[in-house]
Amino acid sequence: MGVQVGQIASSIVFSIPEPLLVITSGRHRLDTDLVSRTAGLPKLGRADADFVREQSGFVIGGVSPIGWINKDRKSTRLNSSHTDISRMPSS
C-alpha cells in the first residue's frame, strides 16, 4: 500500500453497554485502563463479533470509523501519546 503502520488508523469497539469506538494509530497499543479512567468509565466491556456487526455494520478487522448503521455510538479520540482523550460527536 505504500504507507507506514502508523499512518493507518485502528478502529477498536468496546461495549459499555452501548458501543464505544476508539480510533488510534496502527503503531500504538491501546491502554484500556487509561481509556476507561480518562473517559470516566469503570470498565471497558469487550465487544464480540456479533455486537460489532450489529452496531457498526462492519466485521471485526474491517471496522470503519464512519458509515455506521448505529449513529448513536460514542467516540473517543486519542493522540499519539495516549494522554489526551476528548469526546467526539458521532458522525
Side-chain angles (χ1 to χ4, degrees):
M1 290 177 59
V3 297
Q4 296 177 7
V5 173
Q7 294 174 299
I8 299 171
S10 292
S11 300
I12 305 165
V13 181
F14 296 96
S15 173
I16 60 170
E18 69 271 10
L20 174 73
L21 172 64
V22 179
I23 304 165
T24 188
S25 164
R27 70 180 177 150
H28 291 100
R29 292 190 51 90
L30 183 65
D31 183 342
T32 55
D33 290 335
L34 176 62
V35 172
S36 63
R37 279 194 318 272
T38 306
L41 300 168
K43 181 180 175 184
L44 296 178
R46 186 175 293 251
D48 66 21
D50 290 335
F51 179 84
V52 172
R53 185 150 203 169
E54 288 168 5
Q55 297 297 318
S56 70
F58 300 102
V59 296
I60 290 178
V63 177
S64 171
I66 59 173
W68 278 39
I69 58 175
N70 174 356
K71 304 292 184 196
D72 296 327
R73 74 184 183 282
K74 293 181 180 177
S75 299
T76 299
R77 183 181 62 210
L78 307 176
N79 75 6
S80 61
S81 67
H82 294 231
T83 58
D84 178 37
I85 299 176
S86 58
R87 292 281 180 173
M88 295 178 1
S90 299
S91 58

